[in-house]
Amino acid sequence: TSHEHVWIRIVVFLCLWHWAASQLAYSISEEVNKGTVVGNLAKDLNINVQELENRDLRVVSSYSKTYLNVNLRSGNLLVEERIDREELCPLTIKCSLKLQAVLSNPMTAHRIEVNILDINDNSPAFLENRHDLNISESSLTGERYLLPVAVDGDIGSNSVKTYKLSQNEHFSLDVQSGGEHGVSAELVLQKALDREKQSVINLILTAVDGGKPPRTGSLQIRVNVIDVNDNIPAFSKLLYKVRVKENATPGTLVIKLNATDLDEGMNSKILYSFIKRGNIDPSNMFDLNSETGEITVKGGLDYEETPAYEVRVQATDQGASPRSAHAKLLIEIVDMNDNPPQISVTSLMTPVKEDAELGTIVALITVSDKDGGNNGATSCKVVGSAPFKLKSNYKNDYSLVVDGLLDRESTSVYNVTITATDEGNPPLSSKVVITVHVSDVNDNPPRFTEPVINVYVKENSPTGSVIYTVNAFDADLDVNAKVTYTLLASSLKNIPVSSVLNINSETGDIINLQTFNYEELKTFQFKVQATDSGVPPLSSNVTVNILILDENDNSPTILAPYSEHGSVNSENIPYSAEAGYFVAKIRAVDTDSGYNALLSYHLSEPKENNLFRIGTSTGEIRTKRRMSDNDLKTHPLVVLVSDNGEPSLSATVSIDVVVVESTAEIQTQFRHVPVKEDSFSDLNLYLLIAIVSVSVVFLLSLITLIAVRCHRTDGTFSRYSAPMITTHPDGSWSYSKATQQYDVCFSSDTLKSDVVVFPAPFPPVDGELISINGGDTFTRTQTLPNKEKVGHLYLSCKTSSCNHKIIASAISCVVGVDIHTHSAPLVEHQLGTSTPSLIPCPQDFQTV
């Protein structure tokens, strides 16, 4: 801002005083380098160089840029900024910089004018890259066409001085000088144009300035030769010949005319037309597309009426003055076999029964052809593999007859295709499709989807329930396919099946008339007959196996000696009894099967008992700890026996455990039968000996019975001979075979081992697997059907320490058959027709 104030004061001072100043003039070329010396102000102003700094010599101007500056040490006027004459003084011939040199002490001002000299630093340039000229091919030679001028930023001798044209045979260039206004150029036509030979002419116009060396600029000139209608259309042929079949349909292409015109645009667009001569009008029989020249059939051609047509055609262009050409077209009609045979069905006898005999007439057919000679001779046949054929009656009359077996169930409708062909060249043919319906006869009995049906029914199901719906399918139709269902007469324990079950004759719903008890009846069999309504009726049977599924409908039953009603159940234990002392063993059975019969034992009272415990699987009551003085002398216990059914059923038994001082007071581990006097104690001892003796005899008898059954030599097993063994968590085994079932119980306590046998009245089902339940060691396997009547036993071991051979020996000891042990944790037992052998029990069998 201080500099601005100084300049303001200088300008005001100059304006007020109007003092006179000297003027200096210099010349310098544009585009000189920075630092170039223009002149020495100290010398030209006659000032000592040492005074320049004292007098504060400065160069000032009104320009936005500082083009020149002064060196105070030397007094030289130097170039400070790039000087472009075309930028500084555009479109002017003379260009100069006007500055002032200002001195202080005293203040004086000197005008400086620096003339900027032009150099040839700009090339001529056209305002457009390409210039288009449209010149008619009919233009006369000597015609002129003004061309664009080039612009050059330089002046004088450096501006545009002349123009040049690229070499060509049609145009020349006339360059005209305008003095101070520059030069211009005109294009002059030297040779006539022909668009058909060359439609576009490309030229290059070059502008040259007067610099040394000269600079140039170029412009592309495109001359578009405008067409005139100076050519006549020309056909490819003067005479066209073509042959057309007489049966050509309307729209059939006859020929496509081809005429060309060397002109362009509308001058070359050709339209075709017929030329009418005399009374013959070709447009009645043919259509001509005026633009494409395609001639197509319009009406019906008939060789017998007109064998040939002579047609004149014309091609005309669309120029301002249209020009045209003519040609002749000869169309010959070719005689053809244009009438196919006609097939007529005069009589149709349908439907046809599926049991119709061979040769039965189905339809009468007549064939005719309007053509004559060989074109009218016909042959007729059945196409395809339908069980029908044609039988010739007369010359062109045929009968359609049955030629194979008919089956409505496989094909109810036949579409018989009959083809008639004449002997023309090429032969023509026609076909007709005759629909023959086949009527049904009752030749298919009802069919069940399965020969044997297994129905699983829960016991205690309410009467009147639909336990299964049988379904039979009859491939016949309508009445012949209407099926009714009946129960065939059979008995169940001398009771007719019809009193136990009923079947809906229309729907096949089997309804139970009685409830089933699994414990009494596990399976039974009957047959259902399906009969259609045809004449005569046909029928088929299916066997139905009813398999009763067990429900948990029986509570556990406490066994003796704790099952007598009104008895006092008590057990004595010594005060000195150690932890784990055996108190009593509760035994119970459940008449259900499977998990419904798997029992567990619990102490329900007292709730917080810390003195006694019971084995959940064995029912053994033992002490948890030694007695103390704070314990009661009498401990009432309530044992809850529950099965694993859903929902679970249970039974309870009460036992009073009395603590006595010595073991002498304990007479027996069984409950004491209440007596009125102590004098009967000897009798109790005798009774105990008798019971033990009978038990031993019974056990020996049981072992003998098993051995006899294992060694029997009849060589066959009945259909209910598949054995069944069930092991319970308490170590007991359940065995069933043929029509008997036994539960063999081995206690792990050697002091209280016993055997209890329960016979079962009904045998197991065919193919039933032996099921094993061994606590944490074995897992039960599901029952699978056995079509070969061979029983299978699968034991899968859950732990890696399982001894397969001991398991196999233990089972064979009870069952009396061989069991093969495999290397994998799987034991498989197959029962064949050979007699099984007995394997001796190992000594540690009870602990298995």
Side-chain angles (χ1 to χ4, degrees):
T1 57
S2 60
H3 290 292
E4 291 178 356
H5 291 157
V6 172
W7 282 112
I8 292 173
R9 287 197 296 270
I10 293 172
V11 172
V12 172
F13 178 80
L14 293 175
C15 294
L16 292 176
W17 271 269
H18 301 283
W19 47 272
S22 60
Q23 178 172 340
L24 301 178
Y26 299 99
S27 295
I28 189 173
S29 298
E30 64 173 330
E31 302 293 346
V32 296
N33 297 329
K34 292 181 181 180
T36 301
V37 177
V38 179
N40 192 292
L41 294 181
K43 179 179 178 182
D44 295 336
L45 295 177
N46 197 18
I47 300 174
N48 193 350
V49 176
Q50 286 76 15
E51 296 180 6
L52 295 180
E53 292 185 4
N54 296 331
R55 298 192 63 180
D56 191 17
L57 176 62
R58 288 166 296 178
V59 175
V60 298
S61 70
S62 61
Y63 301 108
S64 59
K65 295 181 181 180
T66 303
Y67 291 102
L68 301 174
N69 203 353
V70 63
N71 188 332
L72 296 180
R73 293 182 179 180
S74 62
N76 290 330
L77 183 63
L78 306 176
V79 175
E80 185 72 17
E81 290 285 343
R82 172 179 173 269
I83 301 175
D84 186 358
R85 194 197 68 81
E86 288 75 28
E87 178 184 348
L88 188 62
C89 309
L91 304 177
T92 59
I93 298 175
K94 183 178 180 181
C95 181
S96 62
L97 289 173
K98 294 179 174 56
L99 307 95
Q100 288 181 345
V102 179
L103 294 170
S104 301
N105 302 321
M107 180 172 289
T108 60
H110 303 274
R111 184 176 180 181
I112 302 173
E113 183 176 359
V114 181
N115 186 28
I116 306 301
L117 303 179
D118 182 45
I119 64 173
N120 190 22
D121 58 343
N122 292 282
S123 299
F126 292 91
L127 299 181
E128 53 186 346
N129 294 327
R130 192 184 77 180
H131 182 69
D132 289 337
L133 288 175
N134 295 324
I135 303 175
S136 174
E137 65 175 331
S138 62
S139 298
L140 301 176
T141 58
E143 291 189 9
R144 294 173 172 266
Y145 306 94
L146 187 63
L147 297 177
V149 295
V151 177
D152 195 326
D154 298 324
I155 61 173
S157 62
N158 293 328
S159 61
V160 177
K161 294 302 180 182
T162 186
Y163 292 92
K164 295 180 181 180
L165 185 66
S166 61
Q167 187 69 28
N168 68 94
E169 63 175 335
H170 293 282
F171 297 96
S172 63
L173 187 65
D174 183 15
V175 180
Q176 299 174 358
S177 175
E180 295 180 356
H181 300 287
V183 295
S184 62
E186 292 181 351
L187 197 64
V188 181
L189 181 62
Q190 297 292 336
K191 182 180 179 181
L193 302 176
D194 188 353
R195 190 207 62 81
E196 286 72 33
K197 293 182 179 180
Q198 188 175 6
S199 60
V200 176
I201 301 174
N202 292 314
L203 304 174
I204 301 296
L205 178 64
T206 303
V208 183
D209 62 17
K212 294 182 180 180
R215 289 177 173 265
T216 61
S218 60
L219 171 68
Q220 181 180 358
I221 299 176
R222 179 173 179 174
V223 178
N224 298 312
V225 181
I226 306 304
D227 182 55
V228 295
N229 192 18
D230 56 348
N231 292 281
I232 300 174
F235 281 100
S236 59
K237 294 180 180 180
L238 295 178
L239 175 62
Y240 293 94
K241 291 184 179 180
V242 66
R243 294 165 60 88
V244 182
K245 297 178 181 179
E246 66 170 331
N247 60 352
T249 58
T252 300
L253 179 65
V254 177
I255 191 174
K256 182 176 181 179
L257 301 176
N258 183 26
T260 57
D261 194 316
L262 297 179
D263 296 324
E264 69 173 0
M266 296 301 294
N267 296 329
S268 65
K269 185 177 181 180
I270 296 175
L271 295 180
Y272 300 91
S273 60
F274 286 128
I275 299 177
K276 183 178 179 181
R277 301 183 67 195
N279 295 328
I280 301 175
D281 188 0
S283 61
N284 293 332
M285 303 303 295
F286 303 97
D287 280 330
L288 173 58
N289 189 315
S290 61
E291 293 184 356
T292 63
E294 293 181 349
I295 298 177
T296 56
V297 175
K298 179 179 180 181
L301 303 178
D302 191 349
Y303 175 82
E304 288 72 23
E305 293 181 2
T306 306
Y309 294 89
E310 183 178 330
V311 180
R312 300 280 181 165
V313 292
Q314 177 179 267
T316 306
D317 62 26
Q318 299 300 301
S321 298
R323 310 184 75 173
S324 61
H326 307 88
K328 182 189 293 185
L329 172 63
L330 180 60
I331 302 175
E332 296 181 5
I333 307 303
V334 180
D335 186 25
M336 296 297 296
N337 180 25
D338 54 350
N339 292 292
Q342 300 294 324
I343 303 175
S344 301
V345 180
T346 58
S347 181
L348 179 63
M349 284 71 77
T350 185
V352 180
K353 289 187 176 181
E354 61 178 323
D355 59 351
E357 297 180 356
L358 299 180
T360 301
I361 296 177
V362 177
L364 298 178
I365 299 170
T366 300
V367 180
S368 60
D369 195 320
K370 295 180 180 180
D371 294 326
N374 291 334
N375 293 334
T378 61
S379 60
C380 195
K381 65 179 179 178
V382 175
V383 179
S385 58
F388 301 95
K389 69 176 182 178
L390 284 176
K391 180 180 179 182
S392 179
N393 298 332
Y394 303 102
K395 182 178 180 181
N396 291 320
D397 293 335
Y398 302 89
S399 296
L400 181 65
V401 298
V402 176
D403 190 41
L405 297 178
L406 303 179
D407 186 2
R408 189 207 63 81
E409 287 71 36
S410 60
T411 306
S412 60
V413 177
Y414 290 93
N415 292 318
V416 184
T417 302
I418 299 175
T419 302
T421 307
D422 60 24
E423 297 180 4
N425 187 18
L428 296 180
S429 63
S430 61
K431 66 179 180 179
V432 65
V433 178
I434 300 176
T435 301
V436 179
H437 294 272
V438 180
S439 61
D440 184 50
V441 296
N442 191 26
D443 56 348
N444 290 280
R447 300 291 183 186
F448 289 95
T449 57
E450 297 175 342
V452 177
I453 299 175
N454 293 325
V455 180
Y456 296 88
V457 182
K458 292 183 179 180
E459 66 172 330
N460 303 324
S461 297
T463 58
S465 301
V466 177
I467 63 175
Y468 191 78
T469 299
V470 295
N471 184 26
F473 172 75
D474 195 315
D476 292 324
L477 192 65
D478 298 332
V479 177
N480 295 331
K482 185 177 181 181
V483 180
T484 57
Y485 303 92
T486 56
L487 293 175
L488 294 183
S490 61
S491 61
L492 178 64
K493 291 186 178 180
N494 297 325
I495 300 175
V497 174
S498 57
S499 63
V500 179
L501 299 172
N502 188 23
I503 189 168
N504 189 313
S505 61
E506 294 183 356
T507 64
D509 293 340
I510 300 176
I511 303 170
N512 64 324
L513 302 179
Q514 297 180 8
T515 59
F516 301 106
N517 189 349
Y518 176 81
E519 287 72 31
E520 295 179 358
L521 179 65
K522 292 181 174 56
T523 180
F524 64 92
Q525 186 183 89
F526 61 92
K527 290 187 177 182
V528 175
Q529 184 177 74
T531 306
D532 60 26
S533 302
V535 179
L538 301 177
S539 63
S540 62
N541 302 334
V542 65
T543 300
V544 181
N545 291 325
I546 301 296
L547 306 174
I548 311 300
L549 301 178
D550 183 45
E551 291 284 306
N552 192 23
D553 57 346
N554 291 283
S555 300
T557 301
I558 308 299
L559 299 179
Y562 301 107
S563 61
E564 297 182 8
H565 296 285
S567 62
V568 178
N569 301 319
S570 64
E571 294 291 344
N572 296 334
I573 62 173
Y575 179 78
S576 60
E578 298 290 338
Y581 182 83
F582 178 82
V583 178
K585 180 174 182 177
I586 306 301
R587 297 177 177 85
V589 294
D590 195 320
T591 55
D592 292 323
S593 66
Y595 282 100
N596 295 330
L598 183 61
L599 303 181
S600 60
Y601 301 84
H602 304 277
L603 289 177
S604 62
E605 292 184 9
K607 295 296 184 182
E608 297 181 358
N609 175 44
N610 61 357
L611 184 57
F612 300 97
R613 60 180 173 83
I614 188 170
T616 57
S617 60
T618 62
E620 294 180 354
I621 302 175
R622 295 180 181 270
T623 58
K624 288 184 177 180
R625 57 176 175 79
R626 291 179 57 86
M627 300 292 174
S628 66
D629 295 337
N630 295 330
D631 292 330
L632 299 175
K633 297 301 181 181
T634 302
H635 299 270
L637 302 179
V638 177
V639 179
L640 177 68
V641 183
S642 304
D643 58 26
N644 277 347
E646 289 291 340
S648 176
L649 301 179
S650 62
T652 60
V653 61
S654 299
I655 300 177
D656 292 339
V657 179
V658 180
V659 179
V660 297
E661 294 298 331
S662 63
T663 57
E665 300 181 25
I666 302 176
Q667 298 180 7
T668 178
Q669 65 180 9
F670 297 106
R671 65 177 288 272
H672 293 279
V673 179
V675 295
K676 297 180 179 180
E677 298 180 4
D678 295 339
S679 59
F680 294 99
S681 60
D682 294 336
L683 180 59
N684 291 339
L685 178 59
Y686 298 147
L687 181 59
L688 178 60
I689 295 173
I691 291 174
V692 172
S693 301
V694 171
S695 299
V696 172
V697 172
F698 183 80
L699 180 59
L700 294 175
S701 301
L702 178 61
I703 294 174
T704 303
L705 176 62
I706 293 175
V708 170
R709 286 184 176 271
C710 291
H711 286 279
R712 71 178 184 175
T713 58
D714 56 0
T716 58
F717 284 86
S718 67
R719 63 190 307 268
Y720 296 120
S721 62
M724 177 177 181
I725 296 178
T726 303
T727 66
H728 300 285
D730 59 353
S732 62
W733 296 76
S734 173
Y735 165 69
S736 67
K737 185 173 184 297
T739 59
Q740 294 289 333
Q741 175 176 327
Y742 302 94
D743 288 341
V744 185
C745 303
F746 296 92
S747 174
S748 60
D749 188 352
T750 56
L751 295 177
K752 298 183 180 294
S753 298
D754 56 8
V755 177
V756 183
V757 180
F758 302 96
F762 292 101
V765 184
D766 276 349
E768 183 174 356
L769 293 184
I770 300 175
S771 60
I772 302 298
N773 270 327
D776 294 333
T777 305
F778 306 108
T779 178
R780 171 180 294 182
T781 61
Q782 68 179 31
T783 301
L784 302 174
N786 178 19
K787 298 181 179 179
E788 299 178 357
K789 297 185 178 180
V790 177
H792 296 273
L793 169 61
Y794 294 93
L795 296 179
S796 59
C797 187
K798 289 185 176 180
T799 61
S800 59
S801 60
C802 179
N803 190 328
H804 305 299
K805 293 186 178 180
I806 295 179
I807 295 173
S809 300
I811 296 174
S812 64
C813 177
V814 177
V815 182
V817 294
D818 281 333
I819 296 180
H820 304 286
T821 304
H822 298 276
S823 58
L826 173 67
V827 180
E828 179 180 6
H829 170 216
Q830 297 187 353
L831 295 178
T833 57
S834 60
T835 303
S837 60
L838 179 63
I839 299 177
C841 294
Q843 294 179 356
D844 57 345
F845 170 65
Q846 277 76 12
T847 61
V848 173

